[in-house]
Amino acid sequence: MRWETFLAQVQERGEYDSPQEAERAARVVLALLGAHLVGEERAELAADLPETFALILLNPLQAAEPLDPERFVRATAAWIEGATEETAKWDVGAVLSVVADAAGEDLMQRVLLQLPPGFDLLFGHPRSA
């Protein structure tokens, strides 16, 4: 996916006023996500993203432990100036839904297997029971 396309989709879904707001959200969310993924899935997901975002995903912030979805949202809020948990939830959903679309169903299923329960909702891809 091209840089402009990715950012335009994040901007639209997040209802951001500018591409810069969309980029800020994408950088933070992908850096946190990268800390939770390893191996082939992280590399394949990075290959589906624009180069700059792929590098962020592949060189993530370090996580001492996997964050459940609620803590992931709180961590996002902590990294985005002026964000609240509610706005961070919006940021996470906007970015991860575009990531999920770029990845496709097969890769998303494998990615979700690496993440704590509940992340499927953040990606906008609820798992069937």
Side-chain angles (χ1 to χ4, degrees), residues 33-44 110-111 114-115:
L33 178 64
H36 289 74
L37 300 176
V38 296
E40 188 177 312
E41 285 75 21
R42 186 167 70 181
E44 284 183 45
R110 293 185 286 132
V111 165
Q114 289 192 23
L115 298 170

Side-chain angles (χ1 to χ4, degrees), residues 15-32:
E15 299 180 9
Y16 299 111
D17 293 329
S18 70
Q20 291 77 19
E21 286 181 79
E23 181 181 347
R24 179 196 65 193
R27 286 178 177 275
V28 170
V29 172
L30 291 171
L32 288 168

